[in-house]
Amino acid sequence: MVESVFQRACGGVVSAVESAFREAFGAAPEVVGRAPGRVNLIGEHTDYNDGFVLPAAIDRYIVFAGRRRPGREVRALSVDFEDQVEFSLDDIQRDSKHPWSNYLRGVSRFLEGDGHRLSGAQVVFGGDVPREAGLSSSAAVEVASAVFWKKLLNLELDPIYVVKLSRRAENQFVGVPCGIMDQFISALGHRDHALFLDCGDLTYRHVPLRDDVKIVVCNSGVKRALAQSEYEVRLNQCRQAVAQMAAEGLAVNSLRDVQPHDLEAAKGGLSELLLRRARHVVTENQRVLEGVKALEAGDVERFGELMNASHESLRDDYEVSSRELDVLVEFARKQPGVLGARMTGAGFGGCTVNLVWADAAVAFAEALRKSYLEALGLKAEIYICQASDGALTTG
Ligand code: GLA
């Protein structure tokens, strides 16, 4: 059963990684694991403020294939980077020459640190989640590494542990201060559903997506150059806003605790910049709550309006959009059949996400590609996505 779901979901990538494994190590892998990338439908820059998010896992995957070998050495090959490394489980260090290997190293190191004894292994991995596009290829590598080890060594790892471990690898080993959304959806996505997550207490539920609408992701082709430094700046601005509101006597630990009417009251104590940053997060949380209700009621038109409002807020209040993303959103909204369009992920490049009536999706994709090329001379890659299951393994 799992086998067929697995093959249907990502057969091409699995075969490619399996044959790369056979070629490199002369035998079939014992275990294959995979984890998907994600697109966030609404709830941007809210996860690290203990707020709400609504991502979906997409049908693009990172696949790990491997087998045990005696001893404590791990030999890992990346199909996508056409490169390989070897490291000892007794001394796992960051590798600045082969940064692609740090996700696997980080996950392995923290598993060992938590008392899970790993074994030497031969590993090959690769996939079709576009890199540096804001579709969480890093989270997919982390989660795929974790479920791969789990299956290979029969480790008892519950999904929430896998999520937290993967985030820890990203924050503390790779050194990127992300929130929890990407790892969560990569581990816990459901086919044909989005996932409504409360990042404060990690409660969640899956929200069905109508089959007459499609999620269309448009990759601007612009790498997210400023993303990491500006991400940290935003994170600190949110912390500062909370500290200042708390100093003014508001009972808040994070922007999650701030209600729209509190912002009015806090106006005097916050700079204009911090007020705008806080306003994005506070209103975005409201949009997620309303968006979930709309989707659950089948009201995709309302959901689309909320996506549009989210983009405006990210562009004007949070200032994480870019010219290319704004152009894509503007063109998308002129196409027939579109319900909503916004930037998705951290911003400063990467992708937009569009909700489009299914019967208009192909024409929408074509028209968007064409107008973007004509206007900016840039090639957009467009993916009509299927909301997918989270991490799976076979073997
Ligand atoms: C990146 C981070 C996530 C989240 C988004 C913005 O994808 O990895 O944790 O903060 O940006 O919503």
Side-chain angles (χ1 to χ4, degrees), residues 38 40 43-48 53 134-136 139 167 170 176-183 224 231 235 314 342-347:
R38 67 97 187 93
N40 191 16
E44 217 64 83
H45 289 277
T46 47
D47 63 350
Y48 54 83
V53 293
L135 299 176
S136 296
R167 182 190 180 192
E170 178 99 28
V176 175
C178 63
I180 201 160
M181 167 171 70
D182 306 344
Q183 291 79 10
R224 301 169 309 134
Y231 190 93
L235 191 87
L314 287 157
R342 58 181 286 273
M343 56 151 279
T344 186

Side-chain angles (χ1 to χ4, degrees), residues 17-125:
V17 171
E18 275 180 350
S19 42
F21 187 92
R22 273 201 205 88
E23 204 175 299
F25 298 112
E30 267 180 272
V31 158
V32 180
R34 63 108 168 117
R38 67 97 187 93
V39 63
N40 191 16
L41 299 182
I42 198 160
E44 217 64 83
H45 289 277
T46 47
D47 63 350
Y48 54 83
N49 289 299
D50 288 347
F52 306 113
V53 293
L54 188 72
I58 57 174
D59 49 341
R60 296 201 156 232
Y61 303 92
I62 297 293
V63 173
F64 267 67
R67 47 190 309 127
R68 280 165 290 179
R69 76 194 251 208
R72 299 276 292 160
E73 299 298 308
V74 173
R75 178 131 171 254
L77 259 86
S78 161
V79 176
D80 303 327
F81 288 89
E82 297 181 9
D83 200 3
Q84 55 177 299
V85 294
E86 183 147 329
F87 63 90
S88 163
L89 292 167
D90 293 324
D91 180 28
I92 306 178
Q93 300 297 334
R94 260 181 84 178
D95 181 345
S96 53
K97 288 205 189 100
H98 308 94
W100 57 268
S101 70
N102 284 330
Y103 307 100
L104 169 64
R105 288 172 194 263
V107 165
S108 310
R109 166 132 144 209
F110 290 136
L111 275 173
E112 282 267 328
D114 288 348
H116 301 286
R117 178 91 178 156
L118 306 182
S119 95
Q122 295 165 325
V123 185
V124 173
F125 68 97

